[in-house]
Amino acid sequence: MNSPEKKGKCRHRTPALPPGVAAPFRKIPRLRTLLTSAALAALLPLHALPASASIFDTPAGGWFWYESVPDEAKDDAANKAPIPPETAESADESPRLTVGWLRRNAQKFLDAAIDRPTRENVLAWFYVQRLMQDRASAFAEAAQSAVEGNPLVDENFRRPQASFAQREFDRNAALEGDRLLRSLSKKAGIVFFFRPDCPFCRAMAPKVAALSEEYGFPVLAVSLDGENLVLEGKPLFRNFRADSGQAAMLGVTAVPELFFYTRERGFVRAAAGAMTSGELRDTILRKASEGGLISPEEYGRTRLVIAQDHEDELREGILRAWRRMGKDQAAEGAAGSAGTEGGKER
């Protein structure tokens, strides 16, 4: 029974009160005696108690007439504590309604509108929404104008956006791929490693045979257990041989697996695992490019997106914008400082 090593591959076998609570109650008779003193009784707010109430039934005083006295020093310290940045910002009478300010404070407007749905609070939330939507619309229009015709960021330069142009583009890429595969078959053969009892090998083998028939690739099928692969009662590969160390030499640990073979470059790994015919075709072209069997430019013409290398221009544009933003922030900071000093003078 075969257990796949990974998807599309077959593994190659190489009730009383507690003392602390009861003790205070033993002091109650003595306290009652003390309360009979006229001097002490004059100090108690007895006028606040109902006539039928007992001092022992007053929860406000607690069981032992203990009340915590506010710490005036702590209250003063709390009053003198610095205002958090967000509170200070919200207290600003005329904040600059930047995107950052709106992002930080939008939730506060929504919370106020839900907690206290007055006409003013609800409208304020919708004003915030409208302002943010208007900013987003202005950005979208500016982005479209800036991107159009710019080869660094306009996707139309990488792949046409019009449907008729896409169809033509895809057709040319497919024709170029077919041409390269036919050219490749004249200088490279395919070595296909399989095992007859592997279900993925049995699914891939007809695709490998079709690739050979369509583009002319010579295929050498290598069976890991020495038996040919039979489909519908017929052997699939006429040119096959039993593995005699080739799999170990190339590091084959799972099947199916394909290799290119050329006299100049030897073996180049081409594809591994089960895949569709289109995936097999694209993988072979990519691996042929990586292995130096076709040029990167040739491979690029088979892709559905035009590969472009604009890293230097992109880096320069980013750094130029970064320096400009730094200057703008410095100018805004200087203007804000001048306004603050002017306000103090007045």
Side-chain angles (χ1 to χ4, degrees), residues 44-72:
L44 295 174
L46 298 178
H47 63 278
L49 299 173
S52 61
S54 168
I55 191 68
F56 300 101
D57 299 327
T58 309
W63 282 105
F64 310 113
W65 304 277
Y66 172 80
E67 293 182 2
S68 59
V69 179
D71 190 340
E72 296 181 358

Side-chain angles (χ1 to χ4, degrees), residues 152-213:
L152 300 181
V153 288
D154 191 344
E155 286 298 311
N156 207 40
F157 284 87
R158 301 180 70 243
R159 177 172 174 79
Q161 304 300 300
S163 58
F164 72 90
Q166 287 181 1
R167 290 192 294 269
E168 183 66 16
F169 186 80
D170 295 348
R171 189 180 72 86
N172 289 335
L175 291 174
E176 183 65 16
D178 291 342
R179 185 191 69 78
L180 280 177
L181 287 171
R182 291 190 182 92
S183 174
L184 189 61
S185 68
K186 293 180 173 59
K187 56 184 177 182
I190 290 179
V191 182
F192 176 55
F193 288 92
F194 71 97
R195 199 171 61 243
D197 61 345
C198 167
F200 305 121
C201 299
R202 298 177 67 84
M204 277 295 295
K207 293 176 173 54
V208 175
L211 186 77
S212 172
E213 182 177 351

Side-chain angles (χ1 to χ4, degrees), residues 249-271:
M249 179 187 71
L250 296 175
V252 176
T253 59
V255 289
E257 190 157 7
L258 284 78
F259 288 81
F260 289 121
Y261 175 77
T262 64
R263 290 188 178 88
E264 297 79 10
R265 296 184 178 273
F267 292 92
V268 176
R269 182 171 272 103

Side-chain angles (χ1 to χ4, degrees), residues 259-316:
F259 288 81
F260 289 121
Y261 175 77
T262 64
R263 290 188 178 88
E264 297 79 10
R265 296 184 178 273
F267 292 92
V268 176
R269 182 171 272 103
M275 56 186 67
T276 66
S277 298
E279 290 172 340
L280 177 61
R281 180 180 181 278
D282 294 341
T283 301
I284 285 179
L285 287 170
R286 183 175 67 255
K287 293 297 183 179
S289 175
E290 294 173 358
L293 301 177
I294 61 177
S295 70
E297 292 76 18
E298 288 177 318
Y299 173 62
R301 290 194 291 270
T302 70
R303 300 183 62 189
L304 301 182
V305 175
I306 299 176
Q308 297 176 329
D309 183 8
H310 296 305
E311 182 172 349
D312 292 340
E313 295 95 323
L314 292 171
R315 285 172 55 86
E316 178 58 30

